[in-house]
Amino acid sequence: MLRTILAAAGFALAAAGGASAQDALKLAFFAGANDSTYSGVVAPWIDDVNRTLAGKLRIDGFPGGALGRNPAVQVKLVQDGVADLAFFVPSYTPGRFPDNEVMELPGVIRNSRESSIALWRIFAKGLLRGYDEFHVIMLVTTFPYNIHTTFPVTEIADLKGKKLRAGGPVAADTIKALGAVPVGMPIPAVAENISKGVLDGSAADWNVMYAFRIVDVTKHHYMAHMGTVPIGILFNKRRWDGLPAGARAAIDALSGEALARRFARVNGEVQEEYLQRTRKTSGHSFVFPDAQATAAWDRTMNPVIDAWVAKHPKGKALLDALKKELAAVRAES
């Protein structure tokens, strides 16, 4: 399948003409080169693009924050031309991408395969605001977050009054509904603040747990499903528009839903690997809610969803669109 895509992309490039051989595009990635999203998704995508456009155009990856370490400035790096492309977390730019919040609603999504494909399809239908200044290469989500703490959690009541890191407004509302206290904080600072007692835990998926060492300071894991966190790659629109049509077609052939599916496969494998590794590690405890606990969780989360739909100007339309796309992806399996 990948060979077919590459061949088609190469044909499109040959037909439309190529960019100058001296063109090199810079892709910023604020986490390290060993991060599974970089090593398993972004770096192979760069390799595929470079192989397809060999001698005409090149993308160079800059992981480890080489072009800007702060996760909150990645969108600005692209806007200012410091980077031509950047991996970004939309929630770190509050208000800029308001419709992504639908992916953060708790208990709606089962895994990052269905959510990543669904999110891309929603975007491709023009339902998400905030992206007009960019060309979007990838738009996917993390696995649904679970709750990881320094203290045992066997039921929702155990979270009352505890301070948990929240990654955005919807996550904060979810944590409040659980009786806990949401604390806004960039993810790279979470492990240190848990170790200092500033936080009692955090919502996260397993990739985040290992990438930012949160697994070292939280030993108790309550495995109910919160929402996901959208992530992606943006391309400077002016730089994109300046590329030859063939180069754009070649890159697009490797991006979008094809890249969402690649991300989902890699991320699913990483989640399972890290989950099983942690379950085998001494000192860690897990609670997987049974049917009764899941029903209690859903009763607690439903008001969060209803409140978001009521206050968001496109809430019902977005949630309906998400559910429709999730059903379509689930039907593929």
Side-chain angles (χ1 to χ4, degrees):
M1 178 67 177
L2 180 58
R3 187 174 297 171
T4 301
I5 292 173
L6 292 174
F11 177 81
L13 177 63
S20 168
Q22 67 185 4
D23 281 341
L25 303 168
K26 296 177 290 185
L27 189 153
F29 194 90
F30 61 81
N34 292 328
D35 178 270
S36 63
T37 299
Y38 188 82
S39 63
V41 181
V42 177
W45 176 81
I46 290 173
D47 290 342
D48 287 345
V49 171
N50 289 348
R51 184 164 52 249
T52 304
L53 303 181
K56 301 179 178 67
L57 186 71
R58 182 177 88 249
I59 296 177
D60 294 330
F62 291 84
L67 297 180
R69 190 174 298 275
N70 186 345
V73 305
Q74 302 306 303
V75 173
K76 185 168 174 50
L77 292 180
V78 176
Q79 288 176 310
D80 292 348
V82 175
D84 300 297
L85 307 88
F87 175 80
F88 80 120
V89 181
S91 61
Y92 287 167
T93 312
R96 180 66 193 252
F97 307 100
D99 302 326
N100 288 343
E101 287 184 353
V102 70
M103 309 307 295
E104 301 174 28
L105 295 175
V108 176
I109 292 163
R110 300 173 185 171
N111 57 63
S112 61
R113 177 182 180 274
E114 64 180 30
S115 59
S116 295
I117 297 170
L119 177 58
W120 179 261
R121 291 177 179 176
I122 290 170
F123 165 75
K125 291 178 178 177
L127 298 179
L128 304 181
R129 291 172 291 169
Y131 293 97
D132 291 347
E133 291 184 31
F134 310 97
H135 183 75
V136 181
I137 294 295
M138 182 177 83
L139 194 58
V140 296
T141 85
T142 65
F143 224 74
Y145 275 20
N146 312 119
I147 296 176
H148 311 276
T149 56
T150 59
F151 59 94
V153 178
T154 59
E155 58 182 355
I156 292 172
D158 294 332
L159 294 165
K160 186 173 178 61
K162 300 298 185 178
K163 294 173 290 184
L164 303 179
R165 186 259 179 181
V170 177
D173 289 343
T174 301
I175 289 170
K176 286 178 185 176
L178 295 170
V181 179
V183 179
M185 185 179 297
I187 201 69
V190 169
E192 179 182 0
N193 280 279
I194 290 175
S195 66
K196 290 179 177 179
V198 176
L199 295 173
D200 298 305
S202 180
D205 72 351
W206 289 106
N207 187 42
V208 167
M209 289 288 286
Y210 276 83
F212 297 100
R213 307 290 299 273
I214 300 171
V215 72
D216 295 339
V217 293
T218 56
K219 307 295 184 180
H220 304 280
H221 314 284
Y222 191 73
M223 301 299 291
H225 282 177
M226 297 183 66
T228 67
V229 175
I231 56 179
I233 299 173
L234 296 178
F235 204 127
N236 179 289
K237 189 69 160 56
R238 181 185 58 80
R239 190 75 160 107
W240 173 261
D241 290 343
L243 298 180
R248 297 198 303 269
I251 293 171
D252 272 345
L254 296 165
S255 306
E257 185 165 326
L259 190 53
R261 289 179 179 273
R262 170 184 275 186
F263 169 85
R265 176 181 54 78
V266 172
N267 191 47
E269 292 170 355
V270 168
Q271 297 298 317
E272 185 63 20
E273 176 190 345
Y274 284 157
L275 171 61
Q276 297 307 326
R277 181 191 302 183
T278 312
R279 294 185 76 174
K280 295 175 183 176
T281 302
S282 177
H284 287 264
S285 69
F286 283 79
V287 173
F288 292 86
D290 59 17
Q292 183 176 355
T294 298
W297 179 270
D298 290 342
R299 287 195 300 272
T300 304
M301 296 298 101
N302 285 339
V304 176
I305 297 172
D306 293 342
W308 182 85
V309 169
K311 71 182 179 183
H312 192 286
K314 298 170 56 180
K316 185 178 185 305
L318 286 167
L319 184 56
D320 288 347
L322 173 59
K323 288 181 176 179
K324 179 180 178 180
E325 297 300 342
L326 289 175
V329 177
R330 288 169 185 169
E332 296 176 3
S333 302

